[in-house]
Amino acid sequence: MFRVAGSVTASRLSAVCCRTVTAKQFQVHGASLHVLSSETSRKSRNGPAHHRIPPSWQSVRTMASAGDSQAKINYIFYGLAVLFGGGGIIYWWSRKYMRETSKDGNKTKKSTAAVPAESKEATEPVSEKPTSETTKSEAPPAELPPTETPAEAAAPDAESKKLLDAMPQSYPDYEVMPDIPGHAKYLLIGGGTASFAAFRAIRASDAKAQVLVVTEEEELPYMRPPLSKELWYSDEPKLVEKLKFKQWNGKERSVYYNPPSFYVEPKELAYQENGGVAVVKGRKVMKLDPQKQVAVLDNGWEIFYDKVLIATGGRPRNIPVFERASQEVKDRVTLFRGIKDFKRLDEVSRNASTIVVVGGGFLGSELTCALGKRSRDSSLKVIQMFPEPGNMGKVLPEYLSQWTTAKVRGEGATVKPETFVKRARFSDGKVILKLNTGEEISTDHVVVAVGLEPNTELAKESGLEVDDTYGGFRVNAELEARSDIWVAGDASSFYDIKLGRRRVEHHDHAVVSGRLAGENMTGARKPYWHQSMFWSDLGPDVGYEAIGIVDSSLPTVAVFAKATEKDTPKAVVEETGESLRSVTETEAEATLPTKEGVRETKVFDLANYPFALLPHPEVMTLVLHSILWCAPLSLSTCTCTSFC
């Protein structure tokens, strides 16, 4: 960091000197120079009072006049210093003037050369003044002494000129600006849904907020649900290549929350007067220092922050049999999570003959149905296996789990309940799986979808607490881990004021917790009270929606209603225009059966409906019809959306 003492002239000279410093060396806090006041500069220059203070010019002159020989010598040296120093300044300014004049002369030459000789003679007026009266300023540029034009003075190309024209006039030299700012008022670690919801809430409360997002992925913030749902059901491969999809109602949409034009370049963030959001891609925050309020990246760069949000999400779990397998087997295993995994599996599924999906939860069942749909138009064979008695056996009661398994088989997949892999080896270009049943299966590729492990590597290096029971960073009801440090999304173990401490791995929770953290980062101080929902679609015709704690180990009471053609995920999206049910849950009205069997739509209170059960902390209520209906304080409610 450069510290320049003295006047404005000194700061300008320091800025000129900084042009010779590389971007890595020129680390400026907040991308600005610190100019010390004259008083501070004088004190730091002179040092403590007991240090010897060099004699001033006036004192040397007085001593010299008194006949002091040493003073005379000093007097001479002072004069030489002034002489050479002044001469150096004059020489520097003259060189600068010659360079600028040379640039202007070159431009004039180019513009003059572009005019044909005939037109030049016809258009140029004849000077009435004699040549000898021509002043210096009127002399043609060709008479100036030739100077070498530095490489930096070359005319920029069209793209560079466009970038330079777009930069505010207050920018320093763009080449020496650091790629990553040294300070951010709001720093968000992670580029998923929680960060997106957080910076949207921050900007809503602080319109001129400068928000910096640091993500390990090489992607801008995007939504994950379509990666296992709608993207697989598109009939337009070119659309999928652009990561765009059609919702169940046919409306086109991108997985990215915002286009690239929404974001600003990280190096320009500090100069945005109206604020903005910048994303640093492909970087990982290795450590936080809560006392100094600084984040250290994997390349050693330090970012000072005022408020920070940890939204690191989670990484897919693996199972020991594949962790111990050979490299050839590992190369043919996908732990499905992000865009990179979707692209890889999409390509594999177009060329493979067999794919095995390990895992019977929401993600595993969604991918099995998606791949099963693709297998109808190809020779692909899809096999799903899991240790539970049926699909989503840890979440749904047994009878509903069995019904779901039948639906998955109807999509064209082979389902093997109560089955798991004991060994995996590679042979003749195939992965050979030895099952607990004694059967061996040969496959081209394996997809593992068995849950998430929260990313909490920051905790140990940053002095943050990790929940031993639920995993994730332990935070309070306001999602705060320590002063000015918040955690949201999959990585937060938060205190729910209704249900106690818990950790949730669903899209809606990422939206709600990210939004709450963003509001609290701007001073809201709100507790987490919202009961987030989650949903799963097994294609356009079968879907589930749930709220609160949904666990098959809880006693279950079901309320049945006869389904209609409107009771499908596709119908819900067509009615609301939105495929993300975390949005539609606040927009769609509840659809209820009446005593006479005629359906009616209205917003209602469970306590006033004779067929409904009041929520109970130890009872899971199942509502088997299309749209989620429950009181806001329902502790456990699940909706089955399908033709039951």
Side-chain angles (χ1 to χ4, degrees):
M1 180 182 295
F2 284 88
R3 292 186 176 271
V4 183
S7 63
V8 177
T9 303
S11 66
R12 289 177 180 172
L13 290 176
S14 66
V16 173
C17 296
C18 289
R19 295 176 185 271
T20 63
V21 185
T22 63
K24 289 184 178 179
Q25 293 170 323
F26 185 56
Q27 180 177 348
V28 184
H29 180 72
S32 63
L33 293 174
H34 289 279
V35 181
L36 301 180
S37 65
S38 299
E39 181 66 17
T40 305
S41 173
R42 181 173 54 79
K43 291 180 179 179
S44 60
R45 182 173 64 251
N46 293 342
H50 63 275
H51 286 186
R52 179 184 177 185
I53 300 176
S56 65
W57 173 264
Q58 294 295 334
S59 63
V60 171
R61 184 177 180 182
T62 303
M63 294 166 64
S65 62
D68 191 330
S69 59
Q70 181 62 39
K72 290 181 180 180
I73 296 174
N74 292 343
Y75 189 86
I76 294 172
F77 277 111
Y78 268 96
L80 291 175
V82 171
L83 178 63
F84 284 107
I89 293 175
I90 294 172
Y91 176 78
W92 183 83
W93 278 108
S94 64
R95 292 290 297 175
K96 181 180 179 183
Y97 173 79
M98 291 174 63
R99 283 197 297 269
E100 292 177 352
T101 309
S102 175
K103 292 178 185 178
D104 296 338
N106 291 336
K107 292 179 181 177
T108 307
K109 283 182 181 179
K110 292 180 181 178
S111 60
T112 306
V115 181
E118 296 79 8
S119 62
K120 185 176 181 181
E121 292 177 1
T123 57
E124 277 191 355
V126 179
S127 175
E128 296 180 357
K129 295 183 180 180
T131 309
S132 59
E133 294 179 6
T134 305
T135 61
K136 253 186 181 180
S137 60
E138 294 171 347
E143 296 181 5
L144 292 173
T147 57
E148 294 182 4
T149 304
E152 293 80 356
D157 54 22
E159 184 176 354
S160 299
K161 188 175 184 303
K162 183 179 179 182
L163 178 63
L164 291 172
D165 292 341
M167 292 193 302
Q169 296 299 319
S170 59
Y171 278 16
D173 193 327
Y174 196 79
E175 295 299 325
V176 301
M177 290 169 60
D179 293 331
I180 304 174
H183 175 265
K185 183 176 181 180
Y186 299 100
L187 176 63
L188 311 183
I189 304 174
T193 298
S195 281
F196 162 73
F199 71 63
R200 189 167 61 174
I202 290 171
R203 295 275 293 164
S205 301
D206 184 357
K208 294 188 177 182
Q210 295 175 349
V211 184
L212 182 65
V213 180
V214 179
T215 174
E216 293 184 55
E217 294 190 73
E218 295 290 346
E219 305 287 348
L220 294 173
Y222 65 92
M223 59 186 79
R224 299 187 189 275
L227 301 181
S228 60
K229 300 179 179 68
E230 292 92 341
L231 277 171
W232 292 96
Y233 294 85
S234 175
D235 296 326
E236 302 180 32
K238 292 184 178 179
L239 200 65
V240 176
E241 289 178 4
K242 299 178 182 179
L243 294 175
K244 293 184 177 180
F245 62 95
K246 288 186 177 180
Q247 301 180 138
W248 302 136
N249 62 350
K251 179 181 176 183
E252 186 177 307
R253 187 170 184 176
S254 171
V255 299
Y256 295 103
Y257 287 112
N258 297 110
S261 59
F262 171 83
Y263 303 95
V264 301
E265 287 294 324
K267 61 167 41 178
E268 301 173 14
L269 181 63
Y271 303 95
Q272 302 298 316
E273 294 182 359
N274 294 322
V277 181
V279 180
V280 177
K281 297 182 286 187
R283 286 298 174 195
K284 182 178 181 180
V285 176
M286 305 299 293
K287 178 183 178 182
L288 290 177
D289 189 330
Q291 293 180 335
K292 296 181 180 179
Q293 292 188 298
V294 61
V296 182
L297 305 189
D298 52 358
N299 63 349
W301 187 263
E302 294 183 348
I303 303 175
F304 290 85
Y305 62 84
D306 295 346
K307 312 283 184 181
V308 64
L309 171 68
I310 300 174
T312 49
R315 60 186 180 277
R317 281 197 186 102
N318 202 350
I319 53 180
V321 65
F322 294 118
E323 291 177 342
R324 298 191 303 263
S326 64
Q327 190 60 46
E328 292 85 356
V329 172
K330 292 179 180 179
D331 292 340
R332 290 160 178 79
V333 175
T334 294
L335 305 178
F336 197 90
R337 177 61 173 167
I339 287 179
K340 182 176 65 175
D341 305 317
F342 165 78
K343 289 181 176 179
R344 182 188 185 192
L345 186 57
D346 178 54
E347 182 180 356
V348 167
S349 64
R350 298 183 187 278
N351 303 302
S353 58
T354 305
I355 295 179
V356 171
V357 179
V358 178
F362 288 111
L363 179 60
S365 299
E366 289 172 1
L367 290 174
T368 301
C369 288
L371 293 170
K373 184 259 183 185
R374 180 165 291 185
S375 69
R376 297 176 184 176
D377 303 322
S378 64
S379 58
L380 176 65
K381 182 179 180 182
V382 182
I383 302 173
Q384 183 187 24
M385 60 183 66
F386 43 82
E388 295 80 26
N391 288 75
M392 292 180 276
K394 293 183 178 180
V395 178
L396 303 176
E398 184 177 355
Y399 63 89
L400 194 54
S401 173
Q402 296 295 333
W403 177 88
T404 303
T405 300
K407 288 292 183 181
V408 175
R409 285 173 174 154
E411 293 294 325
T414 300
V415 182
K416 294 180 175 293
E418 300 180 312
T419 303
F420 57 89
V421 181
K422 294 187 68 176
R423 286 190 298 274
R425 58 185 175 87
F426 183 75
S427 177
D428 297 330
K430 300 279 187 178
V431 177
I432 310 300
L433 302 178
K434 179 74 171 180
L435 308 183
N436 62 314
T437 59
E439 181 183 3
E440 282 192 349
I441 294 179
S442 175
T443 182
D444 297 298
H445 203 79
V446 179
V447 181
V448 178
V450 292
L452 291 177
E453 288 284 350
N455 288 324
T456 57
E457 292 87 349
L458 269 175
K460 184 177 181 180
E461 296 293 332
S462 308
L464 302 177
E465 184 180 3
V466 175
D467 193 305
D468 295 333
T469 303
Y470 302 99
F473 297 91
R474 191 178 180 90
V475 298
N476 59 20
E478 296 172 0
L479 304 183
E480 195 170 17
R482 288 184 62 176
S483 297
D484 299 322
I485 301 177
W486 286 262
V487 186
D490 300 339
S492 65
S493 171
F494 62 98
Y495 181 77
D496 188 325
I497 60 176
K498 296 296 180 183
L499 297 176
R501 185 158 297 278
R502 54 197 296 235
R503 190 175 68 84
V504 180
E505 299 174 359
H506 294 294
H507 176 86
D508 185 55
H509 170 67
V511 173
V512 174
S513 62
R515 181 172 62 229
L516 178 65
E519 292 173 350
N520 287 342
M521 291 172 77
T522 57
R525 309 303 298 176
K526 297 179 180 178
Y528 190 103
W529 64 269
H530 176 83
Q531 289 304 312
S532 59
M533 59 88 66
F534 63 91
W535 82 97
S536 176
D537 291 343
L538 305 182
D541 298 325
V542 180
Y544 297 85
E545 295 178 351
I547 188 171
I549 298 176
V550 181
D551 192 328
S552 60
S553 64
L554 296 174
T556 304
V557 177
V559 179
F560 288 83
K562 186 174 178 59
T564 70
E565 294 181 354
K566 294 184 178 181
D567 297 335
T568 64
K570 182 178 180 180
V572 174
V573 177
E574 287 176 345
E575 181 178 353
T576 62
E578 177 58 63
S579 65
L580 297 178
R581 240 70 104 242
S582 59
V583 177
T584 61
E585 70 161 343
T586 60
E587 298 176 356
E589 293 180 319
T591 303
L592 298 177
T594 63
K595 294 181 181 180
E596 292 77 15
V598 180
R599 302 180 68 83
E600 62 177 293
T601 302
K602 64 179 181 179
V603 179
F604 72 105
D605 185 351
L606 278 175
N608 297 327
Y609 189 65
F611 296 109
L613 293 176
L614 292 177
H616 189 277
E618 297 180 356
V619 176
M620 179 170 68
T621 305
L622 295 176
V623 186
L624 305 182
H625 62 80
S626 65
I627 303 177
L628 176 69
W629 56 282
C630 61
L633 301 183
S634 174
L635 297 183
S636 186
T637 303
C638 177
T639 299
C640 165
T641 302
S642 67
F643 290 99
C644 295

